[in-house]
Amino acid sequence: MAQKKGYEVDSWLAKPDARISIVLLYGPDRGLVAERAKAFAEKTGLPLDDPFSVVRLDGAEVDRDQGRLLDEARTVPMFSDRRLLWVRNASGQKPLAEDVKALTVEPARDAIILIEAGDLKKGVGLRAIVEAADTAMALPCYADEARDIDTVIDDELRKAGMSMALDARQALRRNLGGDRLASRGEIEKLVLYAHGQREIGLDDVRAMSGDVSGASFDDAVDAVLEGKVSDFDTVFTRHCLSGGQPFLVLSSAMRQFQQLQVMRGQMDSAGRNAASAVAGARPPVFFSRRKLVEKALERWSVDALSRALNRLQSAVLQTRRRPDLSEALARQALLGIAVESARLGQRG
């Protein structure tokens, strides 16, 4: 059977079998699927920014145009000896599965097919076809366990040249898991917050996890999500006047937008509606906020969410560099996102 157990995936990706021409990465952890897909793509040795060498396709696009993947796989490369066909957001679509089945019977000579998919049922459709083929490999991606989380933490600390106190690591670990990209984003955010320090302590983790009394900054973030510019400005001003740190609002906003990004990705890849995505969210969305989050998911696209997160991350870095301007910098970034939310709501 052309498949690996969850604990075998990373070792296989470290040294992929050259005979494999189709790689399927699937599972409920969308972030881990994307991270491992990138790792495999890099192992091909092809320049990932070269559109002649790497063809990126969306699962829905392949579905609408059955045979598209076959045509691409049988196209002779003009500027390299082979090409990578990278399909994202795949699910159990029949047209894609049929194209893949044809490629397992008659493998492409000059192409490698990499597919990112959601949680696929065993013995059905695309997953069954790949698992039964000699030239294909199915790699499951499930939520991180404690050991995996520690590995991700260590990776990010090593990149930053930092260490972490044991009590800080234990506190951080409780807030991670479920989605690899979200977990890595939380760690990157923490490293950014502690920029200039040699060791991350428990106080740093508490500041980033929102372990504080009061919910004024949560109200500010909700106003941003709803595009209520005036309400945000009022709540944010009250928060700062009462001695609250502007960074807490940025931190809360980043957590919320990261969660939205994960749920929106699930909606796009699996065809789920906003209510279904919110109902299955991990960590769960508090009942009283579900309608608000559902509306935000309908309003914000994946690209728009990425823009908002980039703006928030930039604001975090700026407030660390210029703490004397932290309130103004945080207000400017959050106001900009609130204005964009209002515009997206009008378009909807």
Side-chain angles (χ1 to χ4, degrees), residues 268-329:
D268 293 345
S269 64
R272 301 170 65 181
N273 59 28
S276 175
V278 171
R282 294 293 181 273
V285 178
F286 193 63
F287 182 78
S288 63
R289 299 186 67 252
R290 285 193 175 184
K291 289 298 181 184
L292 182 151
V293 176
E294 287 173 14
K295 289 181 180 179
L297 283 171
E298 293 168 349
R299 179 177 299 186
W300 289 83
S301 66
V302 170
D303 289 341
L305 288 168
S306 294
R307 288 197 303 271
L309 282 167
N310 287 337
R311 174 178 270 175
L312 288 168
Q313 188 170 20
S314 176
V316 169
L317 183 58
Q318 290 173 24
T319 58
R320 294 293 292 176
R321 289 174 174 171
R322 293 296 305 271
D324 55 319
L325 297 177
S326 61
E327 182 177 339
L329 291 167

Side-chain angles (χ1 to χ4, degrees), residues 49 77 113 134 145 219 225 240 253 264 267-268:
D49 58 349
I113 293 88
D134 294 331
E145 298 177 352
D219 293 336
L225 288 179
C240 294
R264 181 69 209 201
M267 289 172 60
D268 293 345

Side-chain angles (χ1 to χ4, degrees), residues 24 52 194 243 256 266 327-328:
L24 168 65
F52 294 104
Q256 180 63 82
Q266 292 171 347
E327 182 177 339

Side-chain angles (χ1 to χ4, degrees), residues 13-39:
L13 287 172
K15 194 175 180 180
D17 187 338
R19 297 170 297 176
I20 298 299
S21 60
I22 301 174
V23 173
L24 168 65
L25 286 151
Y26 70 92
D29 190 335
R30 173 177 168 270
L32 184 54
V33 168
E35 185 170 286
R36 284 174 166 170
K38 182 181 178 183

